[in-house]
Amino acid sequence: MSVEYGKYVRALTDVSFSVQKGEFVFFVGRTGSGKSTVLKLLSREVQATRGTVMFDGTNVSAMAESEVPALRRRMGIVPQDFGLLPRKKAWENIGYAMRAVGKRRSEVRKAIEPILENVNLAHRADAFPTEMSGGEQQRLAIARALINSPQLILADEPTGNLDAAHSLEIIQLLQDLNRQGATVLVATHDLMVLEQFKQHRVVTLDGGKIVSDGVPSA
Amino acid sequence: MFSEALTALRRNTWMSFAAITTSCMALFLLGGMAFAYRGIAGYAETLPSKLEVRVFLKEQKTGFETKSAIEQIGKLKGVGSVTMVTKAEAWAKMQREMPDITKGITNPLPDALNITLKDVDSANNVAAAIRKMPIVERDGVKYEGETQALLSQTLTLLRWVGSALGGLMLLTGAVLIYNAIRMTIVARRREIRIMSLVGATRLTIVVPLLIEGIVQGAIGGLLAAILIVIGHQMMMKMLVNFASFIRVGALPIGMVFGSLVALGAVYGLICSLFAVRDPRGIA
């Protein structure tokens, strides 16, 4: 598939790959290489100019706009900037997202604690994002991505704003979620992370094209 | 969703204030003009038409004198028909139309004759001849073609001024409500993005914004209705003191509030529908 922004900017050019259910894949490359675009194609934040994006047998590219919310409820999206609401406490950030997808208050009350426990943040439920460390904020963003028990987690630069220790902690968390059954796709340019998690598949992009695809430790 | 809308209204206090006051003024002008128009048009209906002369008769008269006068008038050049309206008939009609004003009063109206003319030009001659009749009250001949013409001009002016000013204010109000909603979208871009990413439907995202527009329009309508009621009360007092011969009908308060609040809400909804065309795009 290819993605063009306007007439002159090509984000992706004739890229083709497939990811199996349960895989953990890193998309790496420099800024502007197209790794974030790959994730956005899957969540339909971006439309392919040419080609087809399939997700679990569904053609995402041909999907009507009204079907996109249902598609996104099968995914957990962790944006690059965390996307947390600063005036809401940690549990309220989760609750707000759950209410936005139509969950009842009683469901929200029951679900919040297990979700926060899953990312080791239950003890910080009443903290505001501004009172949390970068790692905690990222974990909260991941927790929010889990509200729909997603089959697929898309994490865009989840370690971009974190120090080494927190970066490893976040990838470890994503790895745990992968072990619980979720397919995880991570866009990153963090070489230290790649060095530590050599067992996972790495797709390298450069100038909107795939230049390598494989498992480093293999 | 209501709490989201109210939070947005609080956040954009000044923009909301501007939108509400402008829509209030627009609806006040349009509504006020409409009710004034309705009142004047109602008053105009009670006056004789251009081709009508109304004659009020003295209290002291015999049935023979009345019958003879009707015959004489019927023979005058230019007269089409003569109809007797007894004081009881006239009073019954007035009681039906203005129950609040006529309540507790004994019938002050005289018997009258309604004369239809074949042409306007004969009005002066007919009126002069009737004035000379002994059973006709002093100044009892009312030929109100000129008043009709003046009222007709006033109504036309009201229609134009009301439409032009009200339309202009409506347009300004629409721009302000549109801007207020767009600003809310920008202010809430983070929430809207998160809602969109977790799979909230478009409806879930836009409904609070639409409610915000509806609330702004409805509050504007409510304030406009209050202004119209106050204006009407003041006009009633003024007319009682300075021009008691003009009868101002009672204002249908329920209708004023109901129609203006509903109109405001629909207006706010339309403005906000334009503003929320692509909330995720703006966010």
Side-chain angles (χ1 to χ4, degrees), chain B residues 148-198:
Chain B
Q148 269 293 340
L150 187 70
L151 277 176
S152 172
Q153 283 170 7
T154 311
L155 288 173
T156 310
L157 187 73
L158 262 181
R159 207 162 39 216
W160 280 105
V161 171
S163 305
L165 279 180
L168 200 67
M169 295 298 274
L170 271 182
L171 200 68
T172 316
V175 171
L176 286 166
I177 290 184
Y178 177 91
N179 274 344
I181 305 289
R182 294 300 260 197
M183 277 181 70
T184 301
I185 294 173
V186 173
R188 295 187 60 221
R189 60 190 179 281
R190 196 184 276 259
E191 283 101 319
I192 291 171
R193 180 167 159 245
I194 290 161
M195 286 166 101
S196 173
L197 286 182
V198 295

Side-chain angles (χ1 to χ4, degrees), chain B residues 87-109 247:
Chain B
K87 60 186 289 178
E89 286 168 353
W91 185 239
K93 187 173 180 243
M94 200 169 170
Q95 279 179 316
R96 272 199 310 277
E97 288 172 1
M98 283 170 277
D100 50 335
I101 292 173
T102 54
K103 202 176 172 184
I105 301 173
T106 51
N107 186 354
L109 302 174
R247 292 171 302 185

Side-chain angles (χ1 to χ4, degrees), chain B residues 181-257:
Chain B
I181 305 289
R182 294 300 260 197
M183 277 181 70
T184 301
I185 294 173
V186 173
R188 295 187 60 221
R189 60 190 179 281
R190 196 184 276 259
E191 283 101 319
I192 291 171
R193 180 167 159 245
I194 290 161
M195 286 166 101
S196 173
L197 286 182
V198 295
T201 58
R202 185 178 151 76
L203 202 66
T204 312
I205 295 171
V206 303
V207 165
L209 300 166
L210 295 181
I211 292 174
E212 191 185 332
I214 292 171
V215 169
Q216 284 178 349
I219 294 175
L222 182 72
L223 293 176
I226 292 170
L227 286 180
I228 287 173
V229 170
I230 293 171
H232 181 263
Q233 296 290 331
M234 286 168 68
M235 205 169 77
M236 288 276 275
K237 275 185 189 160
M238 219 166 69
L239 288 176
V240 165
N241 291 334
F242 301 108
S244 57
F245 57 89
I246 296 178
R247 292 171 302 185
V248 179
L251 194 70
I253 292 180
M255 194 177 105
V256 173
F257 275 91

Side-chain angles (χ1 to χ4, degrees), chain A residues 40-163:
Chain A
K40 286 178 179 172
L41 272 172
L42 275 160
S43 60
R44 257 295 287 269
E45 285 176 81
V46 166
Q47 275 264 52
T49 315
R50 279 193 308 280
T52 310
V53 181
M54 300 292 291
F55 171 61
D56 200 17
T58 310
N59 186 348
V60 173
S61 324
M63 203 171 251
E65 197 62 38
S66 58
E67 293 171 307
V68 173
L71 167 80
R72 290 190 185 158
R73 288 182 198 194
R74 295 163 66 191
M75 301 175 176
I77 303 168
V78 185
Q80 195 168 353
D81 60 355
F82 309 150
L84 301 172
L85 304 175
R87 290 184 187 173
K88 291 193 190 291
K89 293 176 180 178
W91 71 268
E92 287 172 325
N93 267 276
I94 308 294
Y96 180 84
M98 291 184 79
R99 293 285 290 157
V101 291
K103 298 268 197 302
R104 287 194 298 271
R105 281 182 204 280
S106 55
E107 285 180 274
V108 173
R109 271 197 295 272
K110 270 185 207 164
I112 283 177
E113 205 180 333
I115 289 174
L116 287 174
E117 268 172 11
N118 209 1
V119 296
N120 301 320
L121 266 186
H123 64 292
R124 301 287 279 150
D126 285 325
F128 287 96
T130 45
E131 298 165 349
M132 300 169 107
S133 70
E136 286 174 329
Q137 287 184 39
Q138 187 59 278
R139 276 191 278 153
L140 182 56
I142 293 172
R144 191 188 51 213
L146 301 179
I147 60 166
N148 294 317
S149 308
Q151 301 165 263
L152 174 67
I153 294 172
L154 305 173
D156 193 1
E157 299 281 6
T159 61
N161 302 317
L162 306 179
D163 58 33

Side-chain angles (χ1 to χ4, degrees), chain B residues 1-236:
Chain B
M1 283 179 179
F2 268 105
S3 63
E4 288 293 331
L6 293 177
T7 307
L9 280 170
R10 271 203 308 274
R11 275 185 193 159
N12 294 336
T13 312
W14 285 108
M15 188 50 91
S16 298
F17 177 76
I20 288 169
T21 46
T22 317
S23 39
C24 160
M25 287 318 292
L27 292 167
F28 170 68
L29 276 174
L30 280 180
M33 295 286 182
F35 285 109
Y37 187 87
R38 184 173 166 269
I40 294 173
Y43 175 64
E45 269 176 26
T46 66
L47 295 176
S49 76
K50 280 180 190 172
L51 287 169
E52 241 181 53
V53 176
R54 191 164 291 174
V55 177
F56 296 111
L57 304 178
K58 284 179 180 167
E59 280 286 315
Q60 305 299 320
K61 63 186 178 307
T62 62
F64 175 76
E65 285 172 329
T66 309
K67 199 180 164 197
S68 156
I70 291 173
E71 279 174 8
Q72 280 180 48
I73 294 169
K75 286 176 189 163
L76 291 172
K77 196 184 166 192
V79 171
S81 67
V82 184
T83 315
M84 173 84 182
V85 181
T86 65
K87 60 186 289 178
E89 286 168 353
W91 185 239
K93 187 173 180 243
M94 200 169 170
Q95 279 179 316
R96 272 199 310 277
E97 288 172 1
M98 283 170 277
D100 50 335
I101 292 173
T102 54
K103 202 176 172 184
I105 301 173
T106 51
N107 186 354
L109 302 174
D111 289 328
L113 298 175
N114 276 356
I115 298 159
T116 313
L117 302 174
K118 286 177 185 163
D119 60 87
V120 182
D121 297 337
S122 59
N124 288 337
N125 291 338
V126 169
I130 295 172
R131 269 190 204 107
K132 288 177 190 161
M133 294 181 170
I135 68 160
V136 173
E137 280 271 17
R138 202 173 158 192
D139 296 329
V141 180
K142 301 289 176 193
Y143 166 60
E144 301 193 70
E146 284 176 9
T147 315
Q148 269 293 340
L150 187 70
L151 277 176
S152 172
Q153 283 170 7
T154 311
L155 288 173
T156 310
L157 187 73
L158 262 181
R159 207 162 39 216
W160 280 105
V161 171
S163 305
L165 279 180
L168 200 67
M169 295 298 274
L170 271 182
L171 200 68
T172 316
V175 171
L176 286 166
I177 290 184
Y178 177 91
N179 274 344
I181 305 289
R182 294 300 260 197
M183 277 181 70
T184 301
I185 294 173
V186 173
R188 295 187 60 221
R189 60 190 179 281
R190 196 184 276 259
E191 283 101 319
I192 291 171
R193 180 167 159 245
I194 290 161
M195 286 166 101
S196 173
L197 286 182
V198 295
T201 58
R202 185 178 151 76
L203 202 66
T204 312
I205 295 171
V206 303
V207 165
L209 300 166
L210 295 181
I211 292 174
E212 191 185 332
I214 292 171
V215 169
Q216 284 178 349
I219 294 175
L222 182 72
L223 293 176
I226 292 170
L227 286 180
I228 287 173
V229 170
I230 293 171
H232 181 263
Q233 296 290 331
M234 286 168 68
M235 205 169 77
M236 288 276 275

